[in-house]
Coordinates of all heavy atoms in Angstrom, one line a residue:
M1 N -1.4 -19.6 4.8 CA -1.9 -19.7 3.5 C -0.9 -20.5 2.7 O 0.3 -20.3 2.8 CB -2.0 -18.3 2.9 CG -2.6 -18.3 1.5 SD -2.7 -16.7 0.7 CE -3.8 -15.9 1.7
A2 N -1.4 -21.5 2.0 CA -0.5 -22.3 1.2 C 0.3 -21.5 0.1 O -0.2 -20.5 -0.3 CB -1.3 -23.4 0.5
S3 N 1.4 -22.0 -0.3 CA 2.3 -21.3 -1.2 C 1.6 -20.9 -2.5 O 1.7 -19.8 -3.0 CB 3.5 -22.2 -1.5 OG 4.3 -21.6 -2.5
N4 N 0.8 -21.9 -3.1 CA 0.1 -21.6 -4.3 C -1.0 -20.5 -4.1 O -1.2 -19.7 -4.9 CB -0.6 -22.9 -4.8 CG -1.1 -22.7 -6.2 OD1 -0.5 -22.0 -7.0 ND2 -2.3 -23.3 -6.5
E5 N -1.7 -20.6 -3.0 CA -2.7 -19.6 -2.7 C -2.1 -18.2 -2.5 O -2.7 -17.2 -2.9 CB -3.5 -20.0 -1.4 CG -4.4 -21.2 -1.6 CD -5.1 -21.6 -0.3 OE1 -4.5 -21.4 0.8 OE2 -6.2 -22.2 -0.4
R6 N -1.0 -18.2 -1.9 CA -0.2 -16.9 -1.7 C 0.2 -16.3 -3.0 O 0.0 -15.1 -3.3 CB 1.0 -17.1 -0.8 CG 1.9 -15.9 -0.6 CD 1.1 -14.9 0.2 NE 1.9 -13.7 0.2 CZ 2.3 -13.1 1.4 NH1 2.0 -13.7 2.5 NH2 3.0 -12.0 1.4
K7 N 0.6 -17.1 -3.9 CA 1.0 -16.7 -5.2 C -0.2 -16.1 -6.0 O -0.1 -15.1 -6.7 CB 1.7 -17.8 -6.1 CG 3.1 -18.1 -5.6 CD 3.7 -19.2 -6.4 CE 5.0 -19.7 -5.8 NZ 5.6 -20.8 -6.6
M8 N -1.3 -16.8 -5.9 CA -2.5 -16.4 -6.5 C -3.0 -15.0 -6.0 O -3.4 -14.1 -6.7 CB -3.6 -17.4 -6.4 CG -3.4 -18.7 -7.2 SD -4.6 -20.0 -6.9 CE -6.1 -19.2 -7.2
M9 N -2.9 -14.9 -4.7 CA -3.3 -13.6 -4.0 C -2.4 -12.5 -4.5 O -2.8 -11.4 -4.8 CB -3.3 -13.8 -2.5 CG -3.8 -12.6 -1.8 SD -5.5 -12.3 -2.0 CE -6.2 -13.7 -1.2
D10 N -1.1 -12.7 -4.5 CA -0.1 -11.7 -4.9 C -0.4 -11.3 -6.4 O -0.3 -10.1 -6.7 CB 1.3 -12.2 -4.7 CG 1.8 -12.2 -3.3 OD1 1.1 -11.6 -2.4 OD2 2.8 -12.8 -3.0
N11 N -0.7 -12.3 -7.2 CA -0.9 -12.0 -8.6 C -2.2 -11.1 -8.8 O -2.2 -10.2 -9.6 CB -1.0 -13.3 -9.4 CG 0.3 -13.9 -9.7 OD1 1.3 -13.3 -9.7 ND2 0.3 -15.2 -9.9
A12 N -3.2 -11.5 -8.0 CA -4.5 -10.7 -8.0 C -4.2 -9.2 -7.6 O -4.7 -8.3 -8.2 CB -5.5 -11.3 -7.2
L13 N -3.4 -9.1 -6.5 CA -3.1 -7.7 -6.0 C -2.3 -7.0 -7.1 O -2.6 -5.8 -7.4 CB -2.3 -7.8 -4.8 CG -3.0 -8.2 -3.5 CD1 -2.0 -8.5 -2.3 CD2 -4.0 -7.2 -3.1
K14 N -1.4 -7.6 -7.8 CA -0.6 -7.0 -8.8 C -1.5 -6.6 -10.0 O -1.2 -5.5 -10.6 CB 0.5 -7.9 -9.3 CG 1.6 -8.1 -8.2 CD 2.7 -9.1 -8.7 CE 3.7 -9.3 -7.6 NZ 4.7 -10.3 -7.9
K15 N -2.4 -7.4 -10.4 CA -3.3 -7.1 -11.5 C -4.4 -6.0 -11.2 O -4.7 -5.2 -12.1 CB -4.0 -8.4 -12.0 CG -3.1 -9.3 -12.8 CD -3.8 -10.5 -13.3 CE -3.0 -11.4 -14.1 NZ -3.7 -12.5 -14.7
V16 N -4.9 -6.1 -10.0 CA -6.1 -5.2 -9.7 C -5.7 -4.0 -8.8 O -6.0 -2.9 -9.2 CB -7.2 -6.1 -9.0 CG1 -8.3 -5.2 -8.7 CG2 -7.6 -7.2 -9.9
V17 N -5.1 -4.3 -7.7 CA -4.9 -3.2 -6.7 C -3.7 -2.3 -7.1 O -3.9 -1.1 -7.0 CB -4.6 -3.8 -5.3 CG1 -4.3 -2.8 -4.3 CG2 -5.8 -4.7 -4.9
I18 N -2.6 -2.8 -7.5 CA -1.4 -2.0 -7.7 C -1.6 -1.0 -8.8 O -1.3 0.2 -8.7 CB -0.2 -2.9 -8.0 CG1 0.2 -3.6 -6.6 CG2 1.0 -2.0 -8.4 CD1 1.3 -4.6 -6.7
P19 N -2.3 -1.3 -9.9 CA -2.5 -0.3 -11.0 C -3.4 0.9 -10.4 O -3.1 2.1 -10.8 CB -3.3 -1.0 -12.1 CG -2.8 -2.4 -11.9 CD -2.7 -2.6 -10.4
V20 N -4.3 0.6 -9.5 CA -5.2 1.7 -9.0 C -4.3 2.5 -8.0 O -4.4 3.8 -8.1 CB -6.4 1.1 -8.2 CG1 -7.1 2.2 -7.4 CG2 -7.3 0.3 -9.1
L21 N -3.4 1.9 -7.2 CA -2.6 2.7 -6.4 C -1.6 3.6 -7.2 O -1.3 4.7 -6.8 CB -1.8 1.7 -5.5 CG -2.6 1.0 -4.4 CD1 -1.7 0.0 -3.6 CD2 -3.3 2.0 -3.5
R22 N -1.1 3.1 -8.3 CA -0.2 3.9 -9.1 C -1.0 5.1 -9.7 O -0.4 6.2 -9.7 CB 0.3 3.0 -10.3 CG 1.2 1.9 -9.9 CD 2.6 2.4 -9.5 NE 3.4 1.2 -9.1 CZ 4.0 1.0 -7.9 NH1 3.8 1.9 -7.0 NH2 4.7 0.0 -7.7
K23 N -2.2 4.9 -10.1 CA -3.0 6.0 -10.6 C -3.2 7.1 -9.5 O -3.4 8.2 -9.8 CB -4.3 5.5 -11.2 CG -4.2 4.8 -12.5 CD -5.6 4.4 -13.0 CE -5.4 3.6 -14.3 NZ -6.7 3.2 -14.8
L24 N -3.3 6.6 -8.3 CA -3.4 7.5 -7.1 C -2.1 8.0 -6.6 O -2.0 8.6 -5.6 CB -4.2 6.8 -6.0 CG -5.6 6.4 -6.3 CD1 -6.2 5.5 -5.2 CD2 -6.5 7.6 -6.5
E25 N -1.0 7.8 -7.4 CA 0.3 8.3 -7.2 C 1.0 7.7 -6.0 O 1.9 8.3 -5.3 CB 0.3 9.8 -7.1 CG -0.2 10.5 -8.3 CD -0.2 12.0 -8.3 OE1 0.2 12.6 -7.2 OE2 -0.7 12.6 -9.2
F26 N 0.7 6.5 -5.6 CA 1.4 5.7 -4.6 C 2.7 5.2 -5.2 O 2.7 4.7 -6.3 CB 0.5 4.6 -4.0 CG -0.4 5.1 -2.9 CD1 -1.7 5.5 -3.3 CD2 0.0 5.1 -1.6 CE1 -2.6 6.0 -2.3 CE2 -0.9 5.5 -0.6 CZ -2.2 5.9 -1.0
K27 N 3.7 5.1 -4.4 CA 5.0 4.5 -4.8 C 5.2 3.3 -3.9 O 4.7 3.2 -2.8 CB 6.1 5.5 -4.7 CG 6.0 6.7 -5.6 CD 7.1 7.6 -5.4 CE 6.9 8.8 -6.4 NZ 8.0 9.8 -6.3
G28 N 6.1 2.4 -4.3 CA 6.5 1.3 -3.5 C 6.1 0.0 -4.2 O 5.8 -0.1 -5.3
S29 N 6.2 -1.1 -3.4 CA 5.9 -2.4 -3.9 C 5.3 -3.3 -2.8 O 5.4 -2.8 -1.6 CB 7.2 -3.1 -4.5 OG 8.2 -3.2 -3.5
L30 N 4.8 -4.4 -3.1 CA 4.2 -5.3 -2.1 C 5.2 -5.6 -1.0 O 6.4 -5.8 -1.3 CB 3.7 -6.6 -2.7 CG 2.4 -6.6 -3.5 CD1 2.2 -7.9 -4.1 CD2 1.3 -6.2 -2.6
P31 N 4.9 -5.4 0.2 CA 3.6 -5.1 0.8 C 3.5 -3.6 1.2 O 2.5 -3.3 1.9 CB 3.6 -6.0 2.0 CG 5.0 -6.1 2.5 CD 5.8 -6.0 1.2
H32 N 4.4 -2.8 0.9 CA 4.4 -1.4 1.4 C 4.3 -0.3 0.3 O 5.0 -0.4 -0.7 CB 5.7 -1.1 2.2 CG 6.0 -2.1 3.2 ND1 5.3 -2.1 4.4 CD2 6.9 -3.1 3.3 CE1 5.7 -3.1 5.2 NE2 6.7 -3.7 4.5
F33 N 3.3 0.6 0.4 CA 3.1 1.6 -0.5 C 3.0 3.0 0.2 O 2.5 3.0 1.4 CB 1.8 1.4 -1.3 CG 1.9 0.2 -2.2 CD1 1.5 -1.0 -1.8 CD2 2.4 0.4 -3.5 CE1 1.6 -2.1 -2.6 CE2 2.5 -0.8 -4.3 CZ 2.1 -2.0 -3.9
R34 N 3.4 4.0 -0.4 CA 3.4 5.3 0.3 C 3.1 6.4 -0.8 O 3.4 6.3 -1.9 CB 4.7 5.6 1.0 CG 5.9 5.8 0.0 CD 7.2 5.6 0.6 NE 8.3 5.5 -0.4 CZ 8.5 4.5 -1.2 NH1 7.8 3.4 -1.1 NH2 9.5 4.6 -2.1
R35 N 2.5 7.5 -0.3 CA 2.2 8.7 -1.1 C 2.5 9.9 -0.2 O 1.9 10.0 0.9 CB 0.8 8.6 -1.6 CG 0.4 9.8 -2.4 CD -1.0 9.7 -2.9 NE -2.0 9.6 -1.8 CZ -3.3 9.4 -2.0 NH1 -3.8 9.2 -3.2 NH2 -4.1 9.3 -0.9
K36 N 3.3 10.8 -0.6 CA 3.7 11.9 0.1 C 3.4 13.2 -0.6 O 3.6 13.3 -1.8 CB 5.2 11.9 0.4 CG 5.7 13.0 1.3 CD 7.2 12.8 1.6 CE 7.7 13.9 2.5 NZ 9.1 13.8 2.8
N37 N 2.8 14.1 0.1 CA 2.6 15.5 -0.5 C 3.0 16.5 0.6 O 3.5 16.1 1.6 CB 1.2 15.7 -1.0 CG 0.1 15.5 0.0 OD1 0.3 16.0 1.2 ND2 -1.0 14.9 -0.3
E38 N 2.7 17.8 0.3 CA 3.1 18.8 1.3 C 2.4 18.7 2.6 O 3.0 19.1 3.6 CB 2.8 20.2 0.7 CG 3.7 20.5 -0.6 CD 3.3 21.8 -1.2 OE1 2.5 22.5 -0.6 OE2 3.8 22.1 -2.3
K39 N 1.2 18.1 2.7 CA 0.5 18.1 3.9 C 0.5 16.8 4.7 O 0.4 16.8 5.9 CB -1.0 18.4 3.6 CG -1.2 19.8 3.0 CD -2.7 20.0 2.8 CE -2.9 21.4 2.2 NZ -4.3 21.6 1.9
N40 N 0.7 15.7 4.0 CA 0.6 14.4 4.7 C 1.4 13.3 4.0 O 1.8 13.5 2.9 CB -0.8 14.0 5.0 CG -1.6 13.9 3.7 OD1 -1.2 14.3 2.7 ND2 -2.8 13.2 3.8
I41 N 1.5 12.2 4.7 CA 2.0 11.0 4.1 C 1.0 9.9 4.3 O 0.5 9.7 5.4 CB 3.3 10.6 4.8 CG1 4.4 11.7 4.7 CG2 3.9 9.3 4.3 CD1 5.6 11.5 5.6
D42 N 0.6 9.2 3.2 CA -0.3 8.1 3.3 C 0.5 6.8 3.1 O 1.3 6.7 2.2 CB -1.3 8.2 2.1 CG -2.1 9.5 2.2 OD1 -2.5 9.9 3.3 OD2 -2.3 10.1 1.1
L43 N 0.2 5.8 4.0 CA 0.9 4.5 3.9 C -0.1 3.4 3.8 O -1.2 3.4 4.5 CB 1.7 4.3 5.2 CG 2.8 5.4 5.5 CD1 3.3 5.2 6.9 CD2 3.9 5.3 4.5
I44 N 0.1 2.4 3.0 CA -0.7 1.2 2.9 C 0.2 0.0 3.0 O 1.2 -0.1 2.3 CB -1.5 1.2 1.5 CG1 -2.4 2.4 1.4 CG2 -2.2 -0.1 1.4 CD1 -3.2 2.5 0.1
T45 N -0.1 -0.9 3.9 CA 0.6 -2.1 4.0 C -0.4 -3.3 3.9 O -1.4 -3.2 4.5 CB 1.3 -2.2 5.4 OG1 2.2 -1.0 5.6 CG2 2.1 -3.4 5.6
S46 N 0.0 -4.3 3.2 CA -0.8 -5.5 3.0 C -0.2 -6.7 3.7 O 1.0 -6.8 3.8 CB -1.1 -5.8 1.5 OG 0.1 -6.2 0.9
N47 N -1.1 -7.6 4.2 CA -0.7 -8.8 4.8 C -1.7 -9.9 4.5 O -2.9 -9.6 4.6 CB -0.5 -8.6 6.3 CG 0.0 -9.8 7.0 OD1 0.6 -10.7 6.4 ND2 -0.1 -9.8 8.3
S48 N -1.3 -11.0 4.2 CA -2.2 -12.1 3.9 C -2.1 -13.2 5.0 O -1.1 -13.6 5.4 CB -1.9 -12.8 2.6 OG -1.9 -11.9 1.5
T49 N -3.3 -13.6 5.5 CA -3.4 -14.6 6.6 C -4.6 -15.4 6.4 O -5.7 -14.9 6.2 CB -3.5 -14.0 8.0 OG1 -3.0 -12.7 8.0 CG2 -2.7 -14.8 9.0
G50 N -4.5 -16.7 6.4 CA -5.7 -17.6 6.4 C -6.6 -17.4 5.2 O -7.8 -17.4 5.4
G51 N -6.1 -17.0 4.1 CA -6.9 -16.8 2.9 C -7.5 -15.4 2.8 O -8.3 -15.2 1.9
M52 N -7.2 -14.6 3.7 CA -7.7 -13.2 3.7 C -6.5 -12.2 3.5 O -5.4 -12.5 3.9 CB -8.4 -12.9 5.1 CG -9.6 -13.8 5.3 SD -10.3 -13.5 7.0 CE -10.7 -11.8 6.9
V53 N -6.9 -11.1 2.9 CA -5.9 -10.0 2.8 C -6.3 -8.9 3.8 O -7.5 -8.5 3.8 CB -5.9 -9.4 1.4 CG1 -5.0 -8.2 1.2 CG2 -5.5 -10.5 0.4
H54 N -5.3 -8.4 4.5 CA -5.5 -7.3 5.4 C -4.8 -6.1 4.9 O -3.6 -6.2 4.6 CB -5.0 -7.7 6.8 CG -5.6 -8.9 7.4 ND1 -6.8 -8.9 8.1 CD2 -5.2 -10.2 7.3 CE1 -7.1 -10.2 8.4 NE2 -6.1 -11.0 8.0
L55 N -5.5 -5.0 4.9 CA -4.8 -3.7 4.5 C -4.8 -2.8 5.7 O -5.8 -2.5 6.3 CB -5.6 -3.1 3.3 CG -5.6 -3.8 2.0 CD1 -6.4 -3.1 1.0 CD2 -4.2 -4.1 1.5
L56 N -3.6 -2.3 6.0 CA -3.4 -1.3 7.0 C -3.2 0.0 6.4 O -2.3 0.2 5.6 CB -2.2 -1.7 7.9 CG -1.8 -0.7 9.0 CD1 -3.0 -0.6 10.0 CD2 -0.5 -1.2 9.7
L57 N -4.1 0.9 6.7 CA -4.0 2.3 6.1 C -3.6 3.3 7.2 O -4.2 3.3 8.3 CB -5.4 2.7 5.6 CG -6.1 1.7 4.7 CD1 -7.5 2.1 4.4 CD2 -5.3 1.5 3.4
N58 N -2.6 4.1 6.9 CA -2.1 5.1 7.8 C -2.1 6.4 7.1 O -1.7 6.5 5.9 CB -0.7 4.7 8.3 CG -0.6 3.6 9.2 OD1 -1.2 3.7 10.3 ND2 0.1 2.6 8.9
W59 N -2.4 7.4 7.9 CA -2.3 8.8 7.4 C -1.5 9.6 8.4 O -1.8 9.5 9.6 CB -3.7 9.4 7.2 CG -3.7 10.8 6.9 CD1 -3.5 11.4 5.7 CD2 -4.0 11.9 7.8 NE1 -3.6 12.7 5.7 CE2 -3.9 13.1 7.0 CE3 -4.3 12.0 9.1 CZ2 -4.1 14.3 7.6 CZ3 -4.5 13.3 9.7 CH2 -4.4 14.4 8.9
R60 N -0.5 10.3 8.0 CA 0.3 11.1 9.0 C 0.6 12.4 8.4 O 1.0 12.6 7.2 CB 1.6 10.3 9.2 CG 2.5 11.0 10.1 CD 3.8 10.1 10.4 NE 4.7 10.9 11.2 CZ 5.7 10.4 11.8 NH1 6.0 9.1 11.6 NH2 6.5 11.1 12.5
L61 N 0.6 13.4 9.3 CA 0.9 14.8 8.9 C 2.4 14.8 8.6 O 3.2 14.3 9.3 CB 0.6 15.8 9.9 CG -0.9 16.0 10.2 CD1 -1.1 17.0 11.4 CD2 -1.6 16.5 9.0
A62 N 2.8 15.4 7.5 CA 4.2 15.6 7.2 C 4.8 16.6 8.2 O 4.1 17.6 8.6 CB 4.4 16.1 5.8
Q63 N 6.0 16.4 8.6 CA 6.6 17.3 9.5 C 6.9 18.7 8.8 O 7.3 18.7 7.7 CB 8.0 16.8 10.0 CG 7.9 15.6 10.9 CD 9.2 15.2 11.5 OE1 10.2 15.3 10.8 NE2 9.2 14.8 12.7
Q64 N 6.6 19.7 9.6 CA 6.9 21.0 9.1 C 8.2 21.5 9.6 O 8.6 21.2 10.7 CB 5.8 22.0 9.5 CG 4.4 21.7 9.0 CD 3.4 22.7 9.4 OE1 3.7 23.6 10.2 NE2 2.2 22.5 9.0
K65 N 9.0 22.1 8.7 CA 10.3 22.6 9.1 C 10.1 23.9 9.9 O 9.3 24.7 9.6 CB 11.1 22.9 7.9 CG 11.5 21.6 7.1 CD 12.3 21.9 6.0 CE 12.6 20.6 5.2 NZ 13.4 20.8 4.0
V66 N 10.9 24.0 11.0 CA 10.8 25.1 11.9 C 11.9 26.1 11.6 O 13.0 25.8 11.3 CB 10.8 24.7 13.3 CG1 10.7 25.9 14.2 CG2 9.7 23.7 13.6

């Protein structure tokens, strides 16, 4: 993706996506966001390629202390 297109994509993510993630209590910054609670950890990673944005969503059970 050309440099200008990448900047436009990052700006759009910052204006639209990041405020929604903050309301959903995610922490972090581009390209990595996380949300942890007692039961699980949610991870979102973004990647831009060829004019497209790819979001990788992960959900993982939090480790329980023994």
Side-chain angles (χ1 to χ4, degrees):
M1 181 182 297
S3 172
N4 189 38
E5 290 174 332
R6 175 63 186 245
K7 288 179 186 178
M8 289 173 55
M9 185 66 67
D10 285 347
N11 286 336
L13 287 171
K14 288 176 185 177
K15 285 183 177 181
V16 177
V17 177
I18 293 175
V20 172
L21 292 177
R22 295 283 182 241
K23 286 181 183 179
L24 295 171
E25 299 181 5
F26 277 87
K27 296 180 181 181
S29 58
L30 283 174
H32 306 287
F33 294 91
R34 68 202 170 282
R35 177 176 63 184
K36 184 177 180 181
N37 61 41
E38 293 175 8
K39 296 180 182 178
N40 60 346
I41 301 169
D42 302 316
L43 305 169
I44 298 177
T45 303
S46 65
N47 185 16
S48 302
T49 339
M52 297 174 60
V53 175
H54 304 273
L55 295 177
L56 176 62
L57 309 173
N58 286 301
W59 173 78
R60 180 177 174 167
L61 292 176
Q63 286 185 327
Q64 295 181 359
K65 295 182 181 179
V66 180

